[in-house]
Amino acid sequence: MATSVIKKMLKSAVSNALSGSAAGDTSILVFPAKLRADADNGSPHIRFKALDEKNDGTTVHLYIPPGFSVPDSATYTTMDLGTMGTAESMMQGQALTEQDAIGQAAKIGGLVDMTTGGSGVGAAVGGKAALRAGIAVNPFTETQFTNNAIRTFGVNFKLISESAAEADVALQIENFFRSNMYAEVAGASTLKYPNRFKIDFWNGAKQNEYLPKIAECYLTALNSSYNSTTNSFHDNGQPVEVDISCTFQETKVLTRDELYSTEESQ
């Protein structure tokens, strides 16, 4: 029931955002202008929502950039089970052999040295015996999971305006990303965290279930360039082209439950 209500609320919000009646609302930015009409026909697009203290910041709707990718990774290390591995092997039916005794000779010699205060002769003798016999002690090395990585991904947009009004929207979108990635002064020696972003994919007013779900993010890098392929300006001096490159990082490491949780992802 709760999931159904959330979906209906989101669908209504996106539909209203992309409708012509929302064209004058500066809290909802759509580029290019024709995306409003295209989205009504089910055109895929991406939505960015700035999450302030009330989770009610500006939203931006853009076409999905080509080549969008989200890297998933995990970190592993290794652990040597040692004598615990030997014990486990014996419990599984593996019998001790003469080679085991030779292989353990260096360890046994080392223990003798420690007990008697020897100079390492025992370990050296035992190690030599194993070396000559071509025997090595099995460390029973296994892979140990450490953690998953916080996901980082980038998006690139080329905003080519066909009118001065569209150029103004492109500037607003650029400022939307820039202003929300910066911290605010909270006190004499403290800063308030930058706003987070919620990023999701849509087909018209319906959420796209075929693209990855992204958790809340921080914008960690922004690069803007102007008129990269032209030197044209609109009448008021607005550049015709604005290229925006953004790098986002999710706010935390996700678990499998969070990755595929419908309510969390929406």
Side-chain angles (χ1 to χ4, degrees), residues 76 82 119 148 154 169 181 188 190 234:
Y76 291 84
S119 58
N148 288 102
V169 174
M181 76 173 291
T190 54
H234 293 287

Side-chain angles (χ1 to χ4, degrees), residues 31-259:
F31 191 97
K34 68 175 184 176
L35 175 57
R36 297 181 187 275
D38 290 347
D40 287 340
N41 296 321
S43 178
H45 63 281
I46 185 171
R47 183 186 71 162
F48 298 87
K49 182 176 179 64
L51 302 178
D52 54 18
E53 291 178 345
K54 298 180 180 179
N55 289 340
D56 192 27
T58 300
T59 60
V60 168
H61 296 259
L62 297 163
Y63 285 114
I64 299 174
F68 180 82
S69 64
V70 177
D72 297 278
S73 63
T75 303
Y76 291 84
T77 185
T78 58
M79 173 187 287
D80 291 342
L81 299 181
T83 54
M84 294 178 60
T86 301
E88 187 178 66
S89 177
M90 293 175 63
M91 291 177 62
Q92 293 174 354
Q94 180 64 53
L96 289 175
T97 64
E98 180 181 350
Q99 285 75 16
D100 290 318
I102 296 174
Q104 295 295 331
K107 287 188 176 182
I108 296 171
L111 291 173
V112 172
D113 288 336
M114 290 176 62
T115 303
T116 61
S119 58
V121 175
V125 171
K128 180 181 179 181
L131 175 67
R132 296 302 184 213
I135 299 297
V137 176
N138 184 354
F140 292 96
T141 303
E142 295 193 8
T143 299
Q144 181 182 24
F145 173 74
T146 302
N147 201 359
N148 288 102
I150 292 180
R151 301 191 299 183
T152 300
F153 58 93
V155 288
N156 301 293
F157 299 101
K158 178 179 284 290
L159 308 182
I160 302 177
S161 55
E162 297 182 353
S163 65
E166 271 196 345
D168 288 340
V169 174
L171 175 61
Q172 288 177 300
I173 291 174
E174 178 193 354
N175 290 338
F176 160 81
F177 288 116
R178 180 176 290 112
S179 62
N180 283 290
M181 76 173 291
Y182 276 85
E184 296 181 34
V185 174
S189 61
T190 54
L191 296 172
K192 177 185 174 183
Y193 268 42
N195 288 336
R196 294 155 290 124
F197 290 83
K198 185 70 183 79
I199 304 171
D200 39 33
F201 300 92
W202 296 81
N203 281 336
K206 182 179 179 181
Q207 193 157 15
N208 192 330
E209 301 295 337
Y210 295 93
L211 290 173
K213 303 296 186 295
I214 300 172
E216 293 180 2
C217 300
Y218 288 111
L219 177 58
T220 61
L222 171 68
N223 291 296
S224 304
S225 59
Y226 310 92
N227 285 346
S228 59
T229 63
T230 183
N231 196 31
S232 299
F233 294 84
H234 293 287
D235 291 341
N236 293 329
Q238 307 101 314
V240 170
E241 292 183 12
V242 178
D243 294 337
I244 299 175
S245 177
C246 301
T247 302
F248 292 91
Q249 180 172 301
E250 290 178 325
T251 59
K252 65 177 183 177
V253 172
L254 302 180
T255 63
R256 186 183 304 173
D257 295 335
E258 292 171 313
L259 190 64

